[in-house]
Amino acid sequence: MNINQCIKRRKSDRIYVGNVPIGNNAPISVQTMTNTETTDITSTIQQIINLKHVGADIIRISIPTMEAADAFKKIKNQVDIPLIADIHYNYKIAIKVLNNGADCLRINPGNIGNKRKIKQVIDCAKYNNVPIRIGVNSGSLEKDILEKYKSPTPEALLESAMRHIDYLDNFNFDQFKVSVKSSNMYIAVKAYKLLAKQITQPLHIGITESGGFRNGTVKSSIGIGLLLLDGIGDTIRISLAENPIEEVKVGFDILRSLNIRLKGINFIACPTCSRQEFDVIKTVKILEKRLEDVTTPMDVSIIGCSVNGLGEALTSTIGITGYRKDSVLYKDGVRQLSRIKNNQIIDELEKEIRNKSKKLLSLT
Ligand code: SF4
């Protein structure tokens, strides 16, 4: 069943971050953030290239200083993926980076000073035709809002977001998206649901500071999954205390698991037991790594024995079912006559998957 057919996405306006559409039924984009020193231009460019390689649609970069804003210009000139500049408090840095080619500004207008400063930033964003993301975070709520609600509740996050949105409204600026993130999944989910009823702009969703790789992946998958199943969310970022490459991979895994956006290989593999005829876990691990550049959507089943192998292979693009010494290959559910020696499964599967990917690409 295509679950996506059951999801009714929230109606939202369309904005563009560079050439990536966000909102109004655009594909849900996956973004992440660099964690190199922005002023270390070589390392930052290399990380951006690596993140693009695994499929990132958009990349955000922290711009804490004027030097970082200068570095941003050089970085932007050498990469071909939309870049969001992340600014806190300093309106001069915001203006500089807008003029240096930012594709989007992450900034909370209420935090950058008086109306004159806010107007200058918004005028510059309008002039450069660049959208803004308001990013409310449970860890940095305004003092008065925290005093009112005693803790960063969903209602507190909503009030903060609406306050920042009012600033943009007052200057007739509607090219923005909003996030209301909390490290508490329940709070984040409720805050997004409240916000979704208040505005028509796209929503950037995520569970902030969700933790290390395993814990953060579980928390993010549940929180983001609940929202997406409710039709809420136009772009996602997974926040992990990990290499940002993993954030991108987890983001696409979530979208693929929900059948929302199919990109890359969906590995179907058994958990293994004493019946396995070849090392399934090692095979999957190696192929996941080797094939991370393949963006063509396809199901690949890697099953250790015939108990479940045939059933999975019949519905997969490519499938292998373990037998003693030589295993059986299936292509589009059709059993192939020649068998694959168990010690050659990894190389043979890689070859088959790449060939299939090329064929599928040539048809599009
Ligand atoms: Fe074990 Fe076979 Fe099931 Fe894999 S498919 S877990 S090898 S019984």
Side-chain angles (χ1 to χ4, degrees):
M1 181 177 75
N2 185 346
I3 297 174
N4 195 23
Q5 288 163 357
C6 307
I7 300 174
K8 194 167 178 287
R9 280 181 71 184
R10 160 186 170 265
K11 278 200 177 118
S12 58
D13 303 336
R14 168 73 55 88
I15 64 168
Y16 286 86
V17 173
N19 58 359
V20 175
I22 296 178
N24 191 18
N25 272 324
I28 294 172
S29 47
V30 175
Q31 50 180 289
T32 185
M33 201 167 174
T34 54
N35 60 5
T36 49
E37 279 288 333
T38 304
T39 46
D40 180 350
I41 295 169
T42 308
S43 301
T44 304
I45 288 173
Q46 189 55 54
Q47 191 170 53
I48 290 170
I49 290 168
N50 296 344
L51 292 168
K52 190 178 175 221
H53 178 72
V54 293
D57 297 302
I58 300 168
I59 293 171
R60 178 158 51 114
I61 304 182
S62 278
I63 311 293
T65 60
M66 282 293 182
E67 291 72 34
D70 287 331
F72 182 90
K73 187 175 189 176
K74 294 179 181 143
I75 294 164
K76 175 70 188 159
N77 285 340
Q78 292 183 63
V79 298
D80 59 350
I81 185 167
L83 298 182
I84 299 175
D86 189 285
I87 319 285
H88 287 275
Y89 312 120
N90 191 321
Y91 82 107
K92 287 185 179 164
I93 295 179
I95 289 170
K96 181 157 193 172
V97 87
L98 278 168
N99 290 327
N100 280 353
D103 295 293
C104 178
L105 205 59
R106 184 267 165 118
I107 197 166
N108 290 344
N111 296 348
I112 57 175
N114 59 33
K115 279 189 179 162
R116 180 184 58 81
K117 293 176 181 172
I118 298 171
K119 184 174 183 310
Q120 279 187 45
V121 172
I122 294 173
D123 283 347
C124 192
K126 280 183 186 169
Y127 177 79
N128 286 287
N129 198 20
V130 166
I132 286 175
R133 185 204 4 142
I134 292 172
V136 171
N137 193 306
S138 59
S140 52
L141 275 179
E142 296 92 327
K143 251 190 185 169
D144 63 313
I145 292 183
L146 260 185
E147 275 167 18
K148 179 176 168 185
Y149 291 92
K150 312 291 183 230
S151 70
T153 63
E155 292 75 14
L157 291 169
L158 176 69
E159 183 166 332
S160 174
M162 295 312 293
R163 185 182 284 181
H164 293 299
I165 289 166
D166 279 347
Y167 285 110
L168 299 186
D169 276 349
N170 288 339
F171 292 108
N172 294 318
F173 188 83
D174 62 1
Q175 294 298 295
F176 63 90
K177 58 192 171 102
V178 187
S179 63
V180 276
K181 295 187 185 179
S182 168
S183 53
N184 179 310
M185 192 192 73
Y186 289 106
I187 291 174
V189 168
K190 187 166 177 204
Y192 276 109
K193 287 188 175 184
L194 293 172
L195 181 62
K197 291 184 190 150
Q198 299 281 327
I199 61 171
T200 56
Q201 275 76 16
L203 298 182
H204 160 128
I205 62 171
I207 307 299
T208 195
E209 294 129 18
S210 68
F213 181 65
R214 187 182 63 207
N215 186 34
T217 298
V218 172
K219 244 189 262 177
S220 298
S221 304
I222 296 173
I224 291 174
L226 284 170
L227 289 167
L228 291 174
L229 283 172
D230 225 12
I232 294 171
D234 300 287
T235 179
I236 65 174
R237 191 252 168 131
I238 317 298
S239 292
L240 299 177
E242 244 301 345
N243 187 324
I245 281 183
E246 299 303 329
E247 296 189 349
V248 177
K249 290 183 186 172
V250 171
F252 278 108
D253 284 346
I254 292 174
L255 296 179
R256 196 187 306 110
S257 300
L258 294 172
N259 232 348
I260 286 175
R261 188 172 166 200
L262 304 179
K263 187 171 187 178
I265 300 166
N266 176 34
F267 282 104
I268 298 148
C270 71
T272 77
C273 71
S274 65
R275 285 197 180 92
Q276 69 175 341
E277 302 287 2
F278 65 94
D279 190 338
V280 172
I281 294 175
K282 181 179 156 201
T283 304
V284 173
K285 274 190 181 160
I286 292 177
L287 284 175
E288 273 184 344
K289 187 80 197 142
R290 281 196 197 173
L291 296 164
E292 61 186 17
D293 60 305
V294 174
T295 53
T296 321
M298 65 173 93
D299 291 334
V300 172
S301 65
I302 300 175
I303 308 291
C305 80
S306 57
V307 171
N308 293 320
L310 172 63
E312 293 295 352
L314 286 178
T315 53
S316 299
T317 322
I318 307 266
I320 190 90
T321 298
Y323 283 90
R324 190 150 295 168
K325 290 190 187 157
D326 302 319
S327 291
V328 175
L329 178 72
Y330 291 79
K331 294 189 196 177
D332 293 315
V334 178
R335 184 180 172 132
Q336 304 299 295
L337 290 178
S338 57
R339 292 190 168 208
I340 297 180
K341 286 199 184 323
N342 285 354
N343 62 4
Q344 291 172 7
I345 284 178
I346 295 173
D347 290 341
E348 287 299 315
L349 276 183
E350 181 182 2
K351 201 170 73 188
E352 293 292 345
I353 291 165
R354 289 198 180 278
N355 284 344
K356 184 69 183 177
S357 170
K358 263 187 216 152
K359 263 187 209 158
L360 291 171
L361 278 177
S362 69
L363 297 174
T364 57

